């Protein structure tokens, strides 16, 4: 089974570059604020495809929490139960 079958198509090379830059920052620069916990692979042989991706962050203001990437990416921020009121202020 190829990656294209398990992936979502992106509309343009520019959009693909934006998303891959975000993933590059997490993976290669080893940011302490986030990690890819699922997906994140891509194939640009025929079009621009990226696997649905889940990012886990410890920073509620991490870039992928604040920027719409227009791709199959979900960023999760887990907060302590007793901090729910302060987390609502972030929205």
């Amino acid at each position: 089974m190829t990656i294209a079958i398990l992936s979502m198509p992106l509309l343009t090379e520019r959009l693909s570059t934006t998303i891959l830059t975000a993933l590059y920052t997490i993976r290669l620069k080893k940011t302490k604020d986030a990690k890819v916990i699922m997906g994140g692979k891509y194939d640009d042989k025929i079009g621009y495809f990226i696997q649905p991706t889940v990012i886990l962050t410890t920073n509620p203001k991490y870039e992928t929490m604040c920027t719409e990437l227009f791709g199959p990416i979900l960023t999760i921020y887990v907060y302590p139960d007793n901090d729910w009121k302060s987390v609502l202020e972030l929205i």
Side-chain angles (χ1 to χ4, degrees):
M1 192 172 286
T2 67
I3 190 170
I5 294 171
L6 300 173
S7 302
M8 299 292 292
L10 301 173
L11 297 177
T12 65
E13 181 179 10
R14 181 174 170 219
L15 180 56
S16 174
T17 301
T18 301
I19 292 173
L20 293 178
T21 299
L23 294 175
Y24 166 82
T25 301
I26 294 169
R27 286 200 169 127
L28 298 181
K29 291 188 177 180
K30 306 290 186 196
T31 180
K32 292 181 172 92
D33 285 345
K35 66 180 177 176
V36 175
I37 60 173
M38 186 186 104
K41 294 181 182 175
Y42 65 95
D43 185 356
D44 60 358
K45 291 178 189 149
I46 303 173
Y48 307 103
F49 289 86
I50 187 167
Q51 285 182 335
T53 303
V54 179
I55 299 169
L56 180 63
T57 185
T58 57
N59 177 359
K61 294 186 179 182
Y62 189 70
E63 177 184 357
T64 57
M65 291 287 289
C66 300
T67 304
E68 175 61 66
L69 294 175
F70 297 101
I73 294 182
L74 171 69
T75 304
I76 299 170
Y77 168 68
V78 180
Y79 60 89
D81 287 342
N82 58 349
D83 286 348
W84 68 271
K85 286 184 182 180
S86 63
V87 171
L88 286 178
E89 295 295 323
L90 296 171
I91 299 175

